[in-house]
Amino acid sequence: MTDIRTAFPSVSSRLVTTSRLSAQVFERPADDAAAPDATIVFVHGNVSSSLFFLPLMSSLPASVRALAVDLRGFGGSETLPVDATRGLRDFSDDVASVLDELGLGAVHLVGWSMGAGVVMQLLLDRPDLVASLTLESPVSPYGFGGTRLDGSPLTPDAAGTGGGGANPEFVARLASGDRSEDEGTSPRAVYRSSYVAPGFTSEYEDLWVESMLTTATGPGNYPGDSVASKSWPGFAAGRSGVLNTMAPINFDVSGIVDLSSKPPITWIHGELDAIVGDASYFDLNMLGKAGIIPGWPGEDVAPPQPMIAQTRAVLDRYAAEGGTYRELRLEGCGHSPHLERPDEFRAALLEQVGISVVER
């Protein structure tokens, strides 16, 4: 097992207690603590923690201050229930409370997967804290599943989205601390098949599995509850827990296009992303279309969500309304560009925050 103290000696962790929670925060300080060239804050995604960012944080220029915040119910942060009716606001409000407690002011935010939704929500609610956004493999601005290209819901109750869509065996293996690689539903197997592109290997794989295993499970955390639905596949999003935060009845951050002040956005994603895509097999409607779940009512009623197309459409509108964004699509890369293509990811991030790669 990787000892993070020896593998990443420049990074330390501490608990930051705010009025909302006690959050674990990792930090790689700048050489000039009083005047860093930039402060970058990383926000992880679902079934993970800030541990996934330690190699990247360690590799940043010495003039950069880098921090990563564990979300509630993940990593070393306090386990608190998640009110999914607020979308991702429980998480974004938590991150804002940490930034306020540390007195950081406006920072460069990096959000990965669900974490990208968290930082987009933070931009909507606390634009004073955002200098720029880097969206890595982001959840669609309209949430996960159950919407058409324009974000309109397929059913009033968001059938097929939320906590009911989680694989119960995977949840059980998370809860039991399964570190094996024998079954397709083990966290290690899910990491290999979904977090990264086929064939990618890492000396830190054991650490990534440990990170996944910090996920608090249960109705109020991962995956969340569900309710019965008259629409296919027979369930809809509940009111609590992680997956329900991204159900389209609870989450929509497309309003970033209407902000009066629009910080620059960089969007980085891999062409082989197995989780976020226009034909994602984490989307119940895609599973129905593929015949994996029986009874699919067809393309007119339950089409797969065009996640990439939705993100591009919203960001195009963001640019048309006075903002700026750039897209970096990495061929042969999966859901984790910062792990799989660290040099390209780091270069794009440094350009975003205004630091020349030559200056490193």
Side-chain angles (χ1 to χ4, degrees):
M1 175 61 194
T2 300
D3 184 338
I4 62 175
R5 293 168 298 180
T6 56
F8 310 107
S10 64
V11 180
S12 60
S13 67
R14 56 175 161 151
L15 281 179
V16 175
T17 300
T18 78
S19 59
R20 293 184 55 80
L21 83 167
S22 291
Q24 178 166 260
V25 177
F26 288 87
E27 180 171 1
R28 203 301 307 275
D31 279 355
D32 185 351
D37 285 350
T39 298
I40 303 174
V41 176
F42 296 88
V43 181
H44 65 82
N46 190 17
V47 190
S48 64
S49 74
S50 297
L51 292 178
F52 273 89
F53 290 124
L54 298 191
L56 178 60
M57 292 171 65
S58 299
S59 73
L60 291 172
S63 63
V64 172
R65 183 183 186 186
L67 302 98
V69 182
D70 282 343
L71 301 175
R72 63 169 62 193
F74 297 97
S77 287
E78 186 176 359
T79 296
L80 296 171
V82 178
D83 179 358
T85 66
R86 305 185 69 233
L88 288 168
R89 279 192 173 94
D90 271 1
F91 295 129
S92 62
D93 285 352
D94 289 347
V95 173
S97 74
V98 171
L99 301 183
D100 286 338
E101 183 67 27
L102 296 177
L104 297 180
V107 298
H108 299 279
L109 286 163
V110 179
W112 174 36
S113 193
M114 181 183 78
V118 173
V119 300
M120 284 189 279
Q121 187 65 65
L122 187 60
L123 173 59
L124 278 173
D125 296 338
R126 291 291 306 276
D128 58 299
L129 294 178
V130 183
S132 74
L133 290 185
T134 298
L135 307 177
E136 178 187 8
S137 309
V139 62
S140 163
Y142 300 112
F144 201 96
T147 55
R148 301 176 181 87
L149 177 59
D150 64 359
S152 58
L154 300 176
T155 65
D157 60 355
T161 71
N167 185 310
E169 187 173 346
F170 173 62
V171 177
R173 288 178 180 274
L174 277 178
S176 68
D178 182 7
R179 294 168 176 79
S180 72
E181 57 183 271
D182 301 330
E183 299 293 337
T185 53
S186 73
R188 188 180 301 273
V190 170
Y191 159 78
R192 291 176 178 175
S193 66
S194 304
Y195 283 41
V196 294
F200 175 79
T201 60
S202 170
E203 63 181 304
Y204 300 121
E205 181 177 292
D206 287 348
L207 185 62
W208 309 151
V209 174
E210 293 303 317
S211 176
M212 295 171 72
L213 292 175
T214 66
T215 302
T217 58
N221 295 105
Y222 181 82
D225 62 350
S226 65
V227 298
S229 174
K230 294 180 180 180
S231 301
W232 186 88
F235 71 87
R239 297 177 60 83
S240 65
V242 175
L243 293 187
N244 293 314
T245 64
M246 294 175 282
I249 56 172
N250 296 322
F251 179 76
D252 180 350
V253 291
S254 62
I256 61 173
V257 303
D258 299 319
L259 290 170
S260 58
S261 178
K262 295 180 173 69
I265 293 176
T266 293
W267 171 27
I268 306 174
H269 60 110
E271 63 153 347
L272 299 181
D273 193 331
I275 298 175
V276 176
D278 287 344
S280 169
Y281 279 84
F282 282 74
D283 180 353
L284 273 288
N285 288 348
M286 186 62 204
L287 293 177
K289 181 177 182 178
I292 297 171
I293 299 178
W296 182 60
E299 192 85 32
D300 291 342
V301 177
Q305 181 189 12
M307 305 177 193
I308 301 297
Q310 288 177 332
T311 295
R312 186 171 293 116
V314 169
L315 292 180
D316 282 346
R317 288 169 52 206
Y318 187 84
E321 294 296 326
T324 61
Y325 90 92
R326 60 182 177 134
E327 176 183 354
L328 179 60
R329 178 179 178 271
L330 299 174
E331 294 185 3
C333 183
H335 188 62
S336 308
H338 73 284
L339 300 182
E340 301 168 70
R341 304 283 277 276
D343 292 342
E344 290 163 271
F345 188 94
R346 182 174 53 249
L349 175 59
L350 293 177
E351 184 177 347
Q352 171 77 305
V353 306
I355 297 177
S356 170
V357 177
V358 177
E359 294 174 11
R360 297 184 60 233

